[in-house]
Amino acid sequence: MNKATRKTIIAGNWKMNKTPDEAKALISEMAPLVKDADCDVIACVPFVDLAVAQQAAEGSNIKIGAENCHWEVSGAYTGEISATMLKAMGIEYVIIGHSERRQYFGETDVTVNKRVRAALDAGLTVILCVGELKEEREQGITAELCRMQTKVALQGVTAEEMSRIVIAYEPVWAIGTGLTATADQADEVCGIIRDVIAELYSTEVAEATTIQYGGSMNDANAEELLSKVNVDGGLIGGASLVAEKFAKIVEFASK
Ligand code: PEP
């Protein structure tokens, strides 16, 4: 398997944006624009938007995902949502380990791993985010950092379960900043992550795993980023909130 045969996935991360009515409007606007996509198209939306987004996406090729899940099935965890709850409402995808969760909500590699395990146990597909801080890139430890984040997050994940793991390489310095990794930087780190998967599992598993780039990807830079051999799609924040921009990225990924 290679880039041509791996699944290309363009996923939006809406973060804490859009009320249910706005979510319905945005999905309805996107659906006709991405209907001819030759890649998977996902919108990961706030918990309160999931149901309405699912309804709005019905009959289209847009799949709806969540932005996080807890590691327990149920219990005294006020404010949290379990992977089992997401699965019960027909959700297929969940983002785990986004840098904003790590930065602002105390998420660690260990809790990311627990959430990954729970999501897989519930039958979800995980979009696992890894990536270095600006200082870590400057210190020259990007590779070590991404290797370690990937390894810890995947502890206890079997080779079979890797078919339900998508990895998003998201350099933290590029998220929401307008700064983008160069296509070569994105390709290099996605390749390093693919090597880690080969070490942990096998070349076959590594070659079959979708590895996205995320970090200020937009309609102006997506074509170059997506042309790289190790970049199998994108996790898109800001540009996923604008239907035409998101659709344009989907169009580049479909080539
Ligand atoms: C993200 O939220 O994962 C992201 C990549 O955001 P942005 O595209 O806005 O940088």
mmCIF file with all atom_site columns, all heavy atoms in Angstrom, residues 13 15 98 170 174-176 214-217 235-238, ligand 1:
data_model
loop_
_atom_site.group_PDB
_atom_site.id
_atom_site.type_symbol
_atom_site.label_atom_id
_atom_site.label_alt_id
_atom_site.label_comp_id
_atom_site.label_asym_id
_atom_site.label_entity_id
_atom_site.label_seq_id
_atom_site.pdbx_PDB_ins_code
_atom_site.Cartn_x
_atom_site.Cartn_y
_atom_site.Cartn_z
_atom_site.occupancy
_atom_site.B_iso_or_equiv
_atom_site.pdbx_formal_charge
_atom_site.auth_seq_id
_atom_site.auth_comp_id
_atom_site.auth_asym_id
_atom_site.auth_atom_id
_atom_site.pdbx_PDB_model_num
ATOM   1   N N   . ASN A 1 13  ? -11.989 20.379 12.276 1.00 0.00 ? 13  ASN A N   1
ATOM   2   C CA  . ASN A 1 13  ? -12.086 20.463 13.733 1.00 0.00 ? 13  ASN A CA  1
ATOM   3   C C   . ASN A 1 13  ? -12.693 21.821 14.041 1.00 0.00 ? 13  ASN A C   1
ATOM   4   O O   . ASN A 1 13  ? -12.019 22.837 13.926 1.00 0.00 ? 13  ASN A O   1
ATOM   5   C CB  . ASN A 1 13  ? -10.699 20.334 14.374 1.00 0.00 ? 13  ASN A CB  1
ATOM   6   C CG  . ASN A 1 13  ? -10.743 20.617 15.871 1.00 0.00 ? 13  ASN A CG  1
ATOM   7   O OD1 . ASN A 1 13  ? -11.805 20.527 16.485 1.00 0.00 ? 13  ASN A OD1 1
ATOM   8   N ND2 . ASN A 1 13  ? -9.601  20.958 16.448 1.00 0.00 ? 13  ASN A ND2 1
ATOM   9   N N   . LYS A 1 15  ? -13.632 23.000 16.799 1.00 0.00 ? 15  LYS A N   1
ATOM   10  C CA  . LYS A 1 15  ? -13.276 23.536 18.126 1.00 0.00 ? 15  LYS A CA  1
ATOM   11  C C   . LYS A 1 15  ? -14.547 24.017 18.846 1.00 0.00 ? 15  LYS A C   1
ATOM   12  O O   . LYS A 1 15  ? -15.582 23.389 18.689 1.00 0.00 ? 15  LYS A O   1
ATOM   13  C CB  . LYS A 1 15  ? -12.233 24.656 18.004 1.00 0.00 ? 15  LYS A CB  1
ATOM   14  C CG  . LYS A 1 15  ? -11.074 24.277 17.075 1.00 0.00 ? 15  LYS A CG  1
ATOM   15  C CD  . LYS A 1 15  ? -9.915  25.204 17.175 1.00 0.00 ? 15  LYS A CD  1
ATOM   16  C CE  . LYS A 1 15  ? -8.923  24.904 16.069 1.00 0.00 ? 15  LYS A CE  1
ATOM   17  N NZ  . LYS A 1 15  ? -7.575  25.273 16.406 1.00 0.00 ? 15  LYS A NZ  1
ATOM   18  N N   . HIS A 1 98  ? -5.748  16.418 21.002 1.00 0.00 ? 98  HIS A N   1
ATOM   19  C CA  . HIS A 1 98  ? -5.497  17.699 20.325 1.00 0.00 ? 98  HIS A CA  1
ATOM   20  C C   . HIS A 1 98  ? -4.641  18.584 21.244 1.00 0.00 ? 98  HIS A C   1
ATOM   21  O O   . HIS A 1 98  ? -4.789  18.567 22.462 1.00 0.00 ? 98  HIS A O   1
ATOM   22  C CB  . HIS A 1 98  ? -6.826  18.391 20.002 1.00 0.00 ? 98  HIS A CB  1
ATOM   23  C CG  . HIS A 1 98  ? -6.657  19.550 19.080 1.00 0.00 ? 98  HIS A CG  1
ATOM   24  N ND1 . HIS A 1 98  ? -6.236  20.787 19.528 1.00 0.00 ? 98  HIS A ND1 1
ATOM   25  C CD2 . HIS A 1 98  ? -6.805  19.645 17.744 1.00 0.00 ? 98  HIS A CD2 1
ATOM   26  C CE1 . HIS A 1 98  ? -6.158  21.607 18.490 1.00 0.00 ? 98  HIS A CE1 1
ATOM   27  N NE2 . HIS A 1 98  ? -6.481  20.942 17.390 1.00 0.00 ? 98  HIS A NE2 1
ATOM   28  N N   . GLU A 1 170 ? 0.371   17.594 14.036 1.00 0.00 ? 170 GLU A N   1
ATOM   29  C CA  . GLU A 1 170 ? -0.015  18.992 14.170 1.00 0.00 ? 170 GLU A CA  1
ATOM   30  C C   . GLU A 1 170 ? 1.042   19.753 14.982 1.00 0.00 ? 170 GLU A C   1
ATOM   31  O O   . GLU A 1 170 ? 0.995   19.748 16.222 1.00 0.00 ? 170 GLU A O   1
ATOM   32  C CB  . GLU A 1 170 ? -1.362  19.094 14.894 1.00 0.00 ? 170 GLU A CB  1
ATOM   33  C CG  . GLU A 1 170 ? -2.509  18.442 14.153 1.00 0.00 ? 170 GLU A CG  1
ATOM   34  C CD  . GLU A 1 170 ? -3.804  19.169 14.417 1.00 0.00 ? 170 GLU A CD  1
ATOM   35  O OE1 . GLU A 1 170 ? -4.184  19.326 15.579 1.00 0.00 ? 170 GLU A OE1 1
ATOM   36  O OE2 . GLU A 1 170 ? -4.419  19.626 13.442 1.00 0.00 ? 170 GLU A OE2 1
ATOM   37  N N   . ALA A 1 174 ? 1.928   25.884 14.675 1.00 0.00 ? 174 ALA A N   1
ATOM   38  C CA  . ALA A 1 174 ? 1.227   26.177 13.416 1.00 0.00 ? 174 ALA A CA  1
ATOM   39  C C   . ALA A 1 174 ? -0.292  26.173 13.583 1.00 0.00 ? 174 ALA A C   1
ATOM   40  O O   . ALA A 1 174 ? -1.017  26.492 12.645 1.00 0.00 ? 174 ALA A O   1
ATOM   41  C CB  . ALA A 1 174 ? 1.624   25.150 12.352 1.00 0.00 ? 174 ALA A CB  1
ATOM   42  N N   . ILE A 1 175 ? -0.762  25.829 14.780 1.00 0.00 ? 175 ILE A N   1
ATOM   43  C CA  . ILE A 1 175 ? -2.220  25.704 14.957 1.00 0.00 ? 175 ILE A CA  1
ATOM   44  C C   . ILE A 1 175 ? -2.834  27.054 15.293 1.00 0.00 ? 175 ILE A C   1
ATOM   45  O O   . ILE A 1 175 ? -2.486  27.681 16.290 1.00 0.00 ? 175 ILE A O   1
ATOM   46  C CB  . ILE A 1 175 ? -2.552  24.675 16.054 1.00 0.00 ? 175 ILE A CB  1
ATOM   47  C CG1 . ILE A 1 175 ? -2.058  23.296 15.606 1.00 0.00 ? 175 ILE A CG1 1
ATOM   48  C CG2 . ILE A 1 175 ? -4.047  24.645 16.329 1.00 0.00 ? 175 ILE A CG2 1
ATOM   49  C CD1 . ILE A 1 175 ? -2.332  22.199 16.580 1.00 0.00 ? 175 ILE A CD1 1
ATOM   50  N N   . GLY A 1 176 ? -3.720  27.492 14.413 1.00 0.00 ? 176 GLY A N   1
ATOM   51  C CA  . GLY A 1 176 ? -4.445  28.736 14.650 1.00 0.00 ? 176 GLY A CA  1
ATOM   52  C C   . GLY A 1 176 ? -3.570  29.977 14.588 1.00 0.00 ? 176 GLY A C   1
ATOM   53  O O   . GLY A 1 176 ? -3.997  31.059 14.973 1.00 0.00 ? 176 GLY A O   1
ATOM   54  N N   . GLY A 1 214 ? -1.874  18.876 10.126 1.00 0.00 ? 214 GLY A N   1
ATOM   55  C CA  . GLY A 1 214 ? -2.771  19.934 10.584 1.00 0.00 ? 214 GLY A CA  1
ATOM   56  C C   . GLY A 1 214 ? -1.969  21.096 11.122 1.00 0.00 ? 214 GLY A C   1
ATOM   57  O O   . GLY A 1 214 ? -0.932  20.906 11.774 1.00 0.00 ? 214 GLY A O   1
ATOM   58  N N   . GLY A 1 215 ? -2.443  22.287 10.860 1.00 0.00 ? 215 GLY A N   1
ATOM   59  C CA  . GLY A 1 215 ? -1.757  23.496 11.328 1.00 0.00 ? 215 GLY A CA  1
ATOM   60  C C   . GLY A 1 215 ? -1.889  24.571 10.269 1.00 0.00 ? 215 GLY A C   1
ATOM   61  O O   . GLY A 1 215 ? -1.079  24.623 9.343  1.00 0.00 ? 215 GLY A O   1
ATOM   62  N N   . SER A 1 216 ? -2.955  25.377 10.391 1.00 0.00 ? 216 SER A N   1
ATOM   63  C CA  . SER A 1 216 ? -3.213  26.464 9.432  1.00 0.00 ? 216 SER A CA  1
ATOM   64  C C   . SER A 1 216 ? -3.246  25.976 7.985  1.00 0.00 ? 216 SER A C   1
ATOM   65  O O   . SER A 1 216 ? -2.838  26.705 7.073  1.00 0.00 ? 216 SER A O   1
ATOM   66  C CB  . SER A 1 216 ? -2.197  27.595 9.607  1.00 0.00 ? 216 SER A CB  1
ATOM   67  O OG  . SER A 1 216 ? -2.269  28.127 10.923 1.00 0.00 ? 216 SER A OG  1
ATOM   68  N N   . MET A 1 217 ? -3.724  24.761 7.770  1.00 0.00 ? 217 MET A N   1
ATOM   69  C CA  . MET A 1 217 ? -3.918  24.334 6.382  1.00 0.00 ? 217 MET A CA  1
ATOM   70  C C   . MET A 1 217 ? -5.140  25.082 5.845  1.00 0.00 ? 217 MET A C   1
ATOM   71  O O   . MET A 1 217 ? -6.138  25.237 6.544  1.00 0.00 ? 217 MET A O   1
ATOM   72  C CB  . MET A 1 217 ? -4.152  22.819 6.278  1.00 0.00 ? 217 MET A CB  1
ATOM   73  C CG  . MET A 1 217 ? -4.123  22.326 4.829  1.00 0.00 ? 217 MET A CG  1
ATOM   74  S SD  . MET A 1 217 ? -4.629  20.596 4.646  1.00 0.00 ? 217 MET A SD  1
ATOM   75  C CE  . MET A 1 217 ? -3.090  19.734 4.818  1.00 0.00 ? 217 MET A CE  1
ATOM   76  N N   . LEU A 1 235 ? -6.101  17.813 8.961  1.00 0.00 ? 235 LEU A N   1
ATOM   77  C CA  . LEU A 1 235 ? -7.020  18.154 10.041 1.00 0.00 ? 235 LEU A CA  1
ATOM   78  C C   . LEU A 1 235 ? -7.064  19.679 10.043 1.00 0.00 ? 235 LEU A C   1
ATOM   79  O O   . LEU A 1 235 ? -6.030  20.335 10.221 1.00 0.00 ? 235 LEU A O   1
ATOM   80  C CB  . LEU A 1 235 ? -6.522  17.593 11.380 1.00 0.00 ? 235 LEU A CB  1
ATOM   81  C CG  . LEU A 1 235 ? -7.433  17.839 12.599 1.00 0.00 ? 235 LEU A CG  1
ATOM   82  C CD1 . LEU A 1 235 ? -8.848  17.309 12.374 1.00 0.00 ? 235 LEU A CD1 1
ATOM   83  C CD2 . LEU A 1 235 ? -6.848  17.181 13.856 1.00 0.00 ? 235 LEU A CD2 1
ATOM   84  N N   . ILE A 1 236 ? -8.248  20.206 9.798  1.00 0.00 ? 236 ILE A N   1
ATOM   85  C CA  . ILE A 1 236 ? -8.377  21.625 9.477  1.00 0.00 ? 236 ILE A CA  1
ATOM   86  C C   . ILE A 1 236 ? -9.193  22.325 10.552 1.00 0.00 ? 236 ILE A C   1
ATOM   87  O O   . ILE A 1 236 ? -10.329 21.912 10.818 1.00 0.00 ? 236 ILE A O   1
ATOM   88  C CB  . ILE A 1 236 ? -9.153  21.816 8.140  1.00 0.00 ? 236 ILE A CB  1
ATOM   89  C CG1 . ILE A 1 236 ? -8.887  20.685 7.130  1.00 0.00 ? 236 ILE A CG1 1
ATOM   90  C CG2 . ILE A 1 236 ? -8.938  23.196 7.567  1.00 0.00 ? 236 ILE A CG2 1
ATOM   91  C CD1 . ILE A 1 236 ? -7.560  20.681 6.490  1.00 0.00 ? 236 ILE A CD1 1
ATOM   92  N N   . GLY A 1 237 ? -8.633  23.362 11.151 1.00 0.00 ? 237 GLY A N   1
ATOM   93  C CA  . GLY A 1 237 ? -9.368  24.133 12.145 1.00 0.00 ? 237 GLY A CA  1
ATOM   94  C C   . GLY A 1 237 ? -10.107 25.285 11.487 1.00 0.00 ? 237 GLY A C   1
ATOM   95  O O   . GLY A 1 237 ? -11.198 25.116 10.932 1.00 0.00 ? 237 GLY A O   1
ATOM   96  N N   . GLY A 1 238 ? -9.497  26.459 11.506 1.00 0.00 ? 238 GLY A N   1
ATOM   97  C CA  . GLY A 1 238 ? -10.141 27.686 11.018 1.00 0.00 ? 238 GLY A CA  1
ATOM   98  C C   . GLY A 1 238 ? -10.819 27.549 9.666  1.00 0.00 ? 238 GLY A C   1
ATOM   99  O O   . GLY A 1 238 ? -11.982 27.956 9.495  1.00 0.00 ? 238 GLY A O   1
HETATM 100 C C1  . PEP B 2 .   ? -6.684  22.217 14.475 1.00 0.00 ? 1   PEP B C1  1
HETATM 101 O O1  . PEP B 2 .   ? -7.502  22.723 15.227 1.00 0.00 ? 1   PEP B O1  1
HETATM 102 O O2  . PEP B 2 .   ? -6.442  21.005 14.546 1.00 0.00 ? 1   PEP B O2  1
HETATM 103 C C2  . PEP B 2 .   ? -6.006  23.062 13.501 1.00 0.00 ? 1   PEP B C2  1
HETATM 104 C C3  . PEP B 2 .   ? -5.117  22.525 12.707 1.00 0.00 ? 1   PEP B C3  1
HETATM 105 O O3  . PEP B 2 .   ? -6.364  24.382 13.493 1.00 0.00 ? 1   PEP B O3  1
HETATM 106 P P1  . PEP B 2 .   ? -5.983  25.466 12.372 1.00 0.00 ? 1   PEP B P1  1
HETATM 107 O O4  . PEP B 2 .   ? -6.231  24.824 11.039 1.00 0.00 ? 1   PEP B O4  1
HETATM 108 O O5  . PEP B 2 .   ? -6.890  26.612 12.642 1.00 0.00 ? 1   PEP B O5  1
HETATM 109 O O6  . PEP B 2 .   ? -4.546  25.795 12.564 1.00 0.00 ? 1   PEP B O6  1
#
